[in-house]
Amino acid sequence: MIGGGVAGCSVAYHLARLGWTEVILVERHELTEGTTWHSAGFVGQLRSTVTQTKMIMYSAGLYPELAELTGLDPGWHGVGGLRLATTPERVEESLRLAGAGETYGLGLEVLSGAEAGEMSPLLYTDDVRAALWLPGDGWLDPALLARALAAGARKLGVRILTGTRAVGLDVAGGAITGVRLASGTEGAEDFEEWSVRTETVVVAAGAASGRVGRLAGVDIPVVPIKHQYVVTEPFGVPSSTPTVRDPDNIVYFREENGGILVGGYIRNPEIWSTSAPLEEPRTVFPPDMPKFQESWESAVRRVPALADTEITKVVHGPEAFTPDGEFLLGETSVRGLWAAAGFCVHGLAAAGGVGKVMAEWIVDGSPEYDVFGMDLRRFGLHARSAAWSRAKALDSYSKYYDIVYPGEERTAARPLRRSPAWGRHAELGAAFGEKAGWERVNWFESNARPAAEPDRDPPLGDGDVRSEGQGPRRGGRGLRPDGWAGRIWSPAVREECLTTRDAAGLFDQTSFAKLEVAGAGALEGLQRACAGQLDRPVGSIVYTQLLNARGGVEADLTVTRLADDRFRLVTGTAFGVHDAAWLRGRGLDVRDVTSAHACYCLWGPRALDILGSVSDDDLTFGYLKAREISVGGVPVLAQRVTFVGEFGWELYCPSEYGLTLWDTLMEAGTPHGMRPAGYRAIDSMRLEKGYRVWGLDVTPETTPYEAGLGFAVAGDKDFLGRAALDAAHRPAGDRPAPASSAVSAAGPTAPVSARSLFCLVLDDPRQVCLGGEPVRSGGLPASRVTSGGYGHRVDRSIAYAYLPEGTAPGDRVEVGVTGTWVGAAVAAEPLYDPSSERVRRLPS
């Protein structure tokens, strides 16, 4: 372990608790004297993600254990916390958070401003519209917490060496082999240098983690940003005073020694530009009160007594921020070299959880929780750029307390990665989003008006999902959704969906990650890694998952057999680095060929006419098959696969042909009514077909059977995670496999799970779920929405949620959408074209 702050001490403690007996922690100063010591220590259990909340809740439960084991006070002050809302938008956010809190089992209340004032009489609350009261919140003394963790680690056998710095990391064959350490002053009598042989190193050096990573040639995109808070003189503030966050006024505060600690997130943050961060212990910068003025004035308005109170201490130190404001955890590109860094001010609260997941990851190969949002591998090569990381981190810090609306796009450090057709998209009025550095079309504003027949209806029969208790069949057609779902919205999305249904849509999926595995042993290795059966003829496409040892889904992808010993894997835009690392960790030689190929998807009933007009090749090959064809003068790999539930192909070409292929398809398709379309339309249509998205509907915490993906699990081979699946699920008897397969034919019957993913259709089509909303069954908390949206082809508000065994289509539940409980029916899926005739049959 390199770093003696809360991260390093926590990981060391948890590794020892899992039985590792040879753990050494080194700290160049004394414990906690790097980035940890000046933390304000706030612990707010309710966070924006499920995993963060779980980690903080785990941390809170760890403190009594530490106190019992060590006899030391971990510095916990369980005073509760208030989160104030002074604008209608913040009230709406608070109601959404409260709904999420119910699904986590957090005991919280939504208070009026007056009730908040009763909780904390120091507060001025006339402008407070609502407040969240979280009795489980509080604050920590960072030094006491780190010392308690260190004492617990020592009791379990961890060696802790202070005054010891890492001066080199030894790497051989792409793996860590040792650490070179030094103590004392170079050139002095007390100077000593030595090496430790090891196959596992964890970099937990706070703001210095980037520098330490570079010793092994690894980029850990930590950006040290100056963060400031002040402490006032004592003026009789009770120690039981709750912590307070006032995000509308970018300020937070708590009691300290009878006074108030006041901090805030300024709009014009400053990077600490240094090549050697944390060289000295307890690094501080000169006070910068002009920059802190807005936060201080906000605090004085909220606590009027501060106007007559002196500031006695200013703490202005470096915090380790990241490009997206989330932790950096996991294994780096050097095997055995791990990171636990980038705590972004709020990391102290989750320190116990960080230790837990890191130790499980190192020892068992995967943690209990889904940590992809914190996984270092969510970043690609672009994160090597200091300029990019700094621009993103500054933007993240400056908007730390802003409301982040679903679908909101940040503009910092953009554009970066662009499809060959990006210029054409811009000319057509594309509303761009960004993912993993890629510019991607959300929708084309030029599509905001109907192409034809302004009163088009979705097809009846297969598309009709009326059930008892639901409202009018077309009640939500074309209307802006209520609440947050309607904030970032365009009628163009509906038009793109309906055009794809009635004619064809052309989608640019160049950003999707493409990996190739080739050579002797490729089939054998992939067969072991993937749950699906890949030993199929050349030209076959298989939809499959990569599973962890618990049977949880680590990746969700398609595999195309290009030759006997060559396979191409296609996965989500942001998942390529993660998935490639997972496969390499299982002994496979993986090449990332994402940038080598453009990919456009032509889907819809006129797709055959359109492609046939520019290709002389036979296009009638079957579903889940791939063929080399020519489109105009462009060599193309055409794959009969879809993620929208319409006939068509994914068309791959070398990148240098990408612009020509786009122009060729646009020219050929326009006379047939084809339109270019974006990712919002894809998401709407995949919901109607029940196609799952990894990271939302499917995660490392869910098995394929729970997610309704049992059809993708091969029954005739062994694979990683097979034993866990067999142990966890019992046969389902005559229960049929779900009809929600994304891109695969039906497989073996799925076993019954204690929970399964179900489709919900909301009664009110204007109420649209965005993910995370609470679900009640029989008036009791049952689940949370994994993903949701509006299905324009079926005119229904759709959500997905895991519900208990025994749930069946026709059952009724309630979904909490921004404080309003909306009735919903459990529906048989898929809602659109349940027989998949539109996908499989050649258009007549």
Side-chain angles (χ1 to χ4, degrees), residues 566-618:
R566 181 169 165 245
F567 298 82
R568 181 179 297 168
L569 288 63
V570 178
T571 186
T573 299
F575 309 146
V577 176
H578 168 275
D579 294 0
W582 181 267
L583 291 166
R584 290 181 186 124
R586 276 75 194 161
L588 287 158
D589 183 16
V590 182
R591 284 197 313 131
D592 189 328
V593 296
T594 301
S595 299
H597 305 277
C599 175
Y600 308 127
C601 300
L602 177 62
W603 290 319
R606 303 302 301 274
L608 184 60
D609 295 335
I610 294 166
L611 196 62
S613 71
V614 287
S615 178
D616 295 328
D617 293 291
D618 180 8

Side-chain angles (χ1 to χ4, degrees), residues 651-709:
L651 303 170
Y652 295 86
C653 70
S655 289
E656 68 267 27
Y657 295 95
L659 181 57
T660 301
L661 180 59
W662 178 268
D663 288 345
T664 300
L665 293 170
M666 283 294 294
E667 183 177 356
T670 300
H672 292 275
M674 184 196 80
R675 282 183 166 189
Y679 279 87
R680 295 290 178 82
I682 291 176
D683 195 53
S684 170
M685 290 186 281
R686 71 95 189 167
L687 282 166
E688 295 170 308
K689 283 296 290 181
Y691 297 165
R692 282 42 168 156
V693 170
W694 190 83
L696 297 175
D697 309 306
V698 186
T699 75
E701 297 181 40
T702 59
T703 70
Y705 294 133
E706 292 171 331
L709 300 176

Side-chain angles (χ1 to χ4, degrees), residues 173-451:
I176 199 79
T177 60
V179 181
R180 280 167 280 141
L181 301 172
S183 61
T185 304
E186 192 165 359
E189 288 186 7
D190 66 342
F191 181 74
E192 184 181 3
E193 192 168 8
W194 71 99
S195 296
V196 176
R197 291 170 55 193
T198 179
E199 296 179 350
T200 305
V201 174
V202 180
V203 179
S209 294
R211 180 185 64 80
V212 176
R214 284 190 290 275
L215 296 175
V218 163
D219 294 287
I220 301 175
V222 165
V223 179
I225 293 181
K226 297 179 179 180
H227 184 74
Q228 192 168 206
Y229 66 80
V230 303
V231 181
T232 73
E233 64 183 352
F235 62 101
V237 179
S239 61
S240 59
T241 298
T243 65
V244 178
R245 288 178 175 81
D246 188 355
D248 289 322
N249 295 290
I250 61 170
V251 67
Y252 60 82
F253 43 89
R254 65 166 174 82
E255 181 270 341
E256 179 157 310
N257 296 325
I260 295 283
L261 180 152
V262 178
Y265 295 91
I266 61 176
R267 297 294 186 187
N268 55 342
E270 183 180 349
I271 288 172
W272 182 26
S273 296
T274 178
S275 60
L278 306 184
E279 284 289 305
E280 300 298 324
R282 294 183 172 252
T283 299
V284 291
F285 311 115
D288 191 346
M289 296 311 292
K291 277 197 171 183
F292 196 67
Q293 183 176 358
E294 182 180 358
S295 292
W296 177 252
E297 290 177 351
S298 293
V300 171
R301 287 195 302 273
R302 188 60 60 211
V303 183
L306 290 176
D308 302 317
T309 306
E310 293 291 325
I311 294 173
T312 59
K313 181 170 68 173
V314 178
V315 179
H316 193 194
E319 286 287 350
F321 258 75
T322 67
D324 59 2
E326 189 50 275
F327 304 159
L328 294 172
L329 308 179
E331 194 171 23
T332 70
S333 57
V334 172
R335 289 194 310 278
L337 181 63
W338 299 74
F343 273 27
C344 305
V345 180
H346 61 267
L348 188 81
V354 166
K356 167 186 163 63
V357 300
M358 286 294 297
E360 292 170 346
W361 213 339
I362 293 168
V363 175
D364 300 327
S366 60
E368 178 184 355
Y369 306 148
D370 170 20
V371 294
F372 177 76
M374 307 174 187
D375 193 328
L376 178 69
R377 296 169 297 186
R378 68 189 182 272
F379 295 117
L381 295 178
H382 55 286
R384 289 180 178 173
S385 164
W388 182 87
S389 294
R390 289 177 176 182
K392 285 289 192 180
L394 285 171
D395 180 67
S396 177
Y397 181 103
S398 67
K399 298 172 181 175
Y400 188 81
Y401 266 164
D402 287 3
I403 298 172
V404 180
Y405 295 104
E408 182 177 337
E409 300 288 351
R410 299 285 178 85
T411 59
R414 291 177 59 190
L416 183 63
R417 307 172 76 182
R418 289 179 266 188
S419 156
W422 179 85
R424 297 290 192 261
H425 302 336
E427 292 169 2
L428 291 168
F432 287 106
E434 181 267 338
K435 196 165 192 177
W438 281 97
E439 294 294 312
R440 312 196 318 166
V441 178
N442 284 335
W443 65 78
F444 290 94
E445 199 56 44
S446 55
N447 289 334
R449 291 182 300 278

Side-chain angles (χ1 to χ4, degrees), residues 699-746:
T699 75
E701 297 181 40
T702 59
T703 70
Y705 294 133
E706 292 171 331
L709 300 176
F711 62 85
V713 176
D716 57 352
K717 69 165 194 171
D718 193 19
F719 52 83
L720 292 169
R722 165 116 253 171
L725 283 183
D726 290 345
H729 299 288
R730 60 182 175 81
D734 59 356
R735 181 184 175 188
S740 59
S741 58
V743 290
S744 179

Side-chain angles (χ1 to χ4, degrees), residues 760-826:
L760 310 179
V761 175
L762 277 65
D763 294 347
D764 184 351
R766 295 287 291 272
Q767 298 289 340
V768 176
C769 293
L770 299 166
E773 292 85 356
V775 179
R776 288 179 179 174
S777 178
L780 299 175
S783 184
R784 67 178 66 89
V785 170
T786 59
S787 65
Y790 193 82
H792 295 281
R793 293 176 299 185
V794 299
D795 269 324
R796 285 289 179 262
S797 177
I798 304 166
Y800 276 83
Y802 283 90
L803 294 171
E805 178 181 349
T807 303
D811 289 352
R812 300 286 298 170
V813 296
E814 292 179 300
V815 182
V817 186
T818 317
T820 301
W821 288 99
V822 182
V826 177

